[in-house]
Amino acid sequence: MAANEEEEGTSPLLSKEEERRHHPGCPGCDHDRRKDLQTGLPYKEFSYVWMICLTTALPISSLFPFLYFMIRDLHVAKRTEDIGFYAGFVGASFMFGRCLTSTLWGIAADRIGRKPVVVFGILSVVIFNTLFGLSVTYWMAIATRFLLGALNGLLGPMKVWRT
């Protein structure tokens, strides 16, 4: 029976002893060794994922309480009733930027790794949220929100993050 398995290619490539052996300098073996030594839930890793997901949600949820006042103070709308119209474009520009580049960020995360993409995404959130808050014109607000969405490649890599 073992001869038939080897001929068909269904036998395992490594024996159980070879699977347990860790090779020095091998990143996969180091990861497996850390997984073998870990007991319980990885609270530290969960806290990292939680903080980064919070960073991802912040640009979406923190905008709307003060967007009305920002558009009003930028004097874009001629009437008070038009403020919501202009605020909609500022709010939508973030999601439009994210829509255009989310697949590219997934490809980049697969090619160069998740950590560099996540670090770049966090930095872009800090920089472009600050620039959005300092916007002095309507078009600067739209451009910074669009760039914030386009350069914020956090959501995809965080959903598939492996510890």
Side-chain angles (χ1 to χ4, degrees):
M1 186 93 154
N4 289 341
E5 285 180 0
E6 288 179 15
E7 290 174 9
E8 294 176 16
T10 58
S11 65
L13 295 175
L14 297 174
S15 66
K16 293 292 179 185
E17 294 147 5
E18 290 174 328
E19 286 180 7
R20 287 189 206 120
R21 193 173 11 166
H22 296 289
H23 302 286
C26 173
C29 294
D30 289 341
H31 179 71
D32 289 341
R33 188 178 312 114
R34 280 194 303 267
K35 279 177 58 177
D36 291 342
L37 295 175
Q38 184 175 1
T39 58
L41 290 173
Y43 289 109
K44 183 176 160 185
E45 286 82 6
F46 283 156
S47 67
Y48 293 152
V49 172
W50 177 79
M51 285 187 291
I52 293 172
C53 287
L54 180 68
T55 304
T56 302
L58 214 59
I60 300 168
S61 61
S62 68
L63 171 74
F64 296 106
F66 63 86
L67 185 59
Y68 173 86
F69 301 105
M70 182 181 190
I71 298 298
R72 184 190 68 189
D73 293 342
L74 291 176
H75 305 293
V76 178
K78 304 220 183 314
R79 300 178 307 158
T80 306
E81 294 83 14
D82 294 337
I83 291 175
F85 176 77
Y86 292 105
F89 285 114
V90 175
S93 62
F94 175 80
M95 288 300 177
F96 184 62
R98 181 181 268 185
C99 172
L100 292 178
T101 61
S102 61
T103 305
L104 298 174
W105 281 115
I107 293 168
D110 288 340
R111 290 202 178 150
I112 63 173
R114 308 239 183 290
K115 287 182 184 178
V117 170
V118 167
V119 168
F120 183 80
I122 291 171
L123 289 175
S124 72
V125 166
V126 170
I127 292 168
F128 287 105
N129 259 342
T130 304
L131 287 175
F132 172 72
L134 299 173
S135 295
V136 293
T137 65
Y138 178 69
W139 291 108
M140 182 179 176
I142 286 184
T144 55
R145 288 291 294 177
F146 176 78
L147 289 172
L148 177 60
L151 298 176
N152 185 359
L154 290 173
L155 199 56
M158 287 313 299
K159 295 231 183 223
V160 296
W161 191 277
R162 291 178 220 121
T163 57

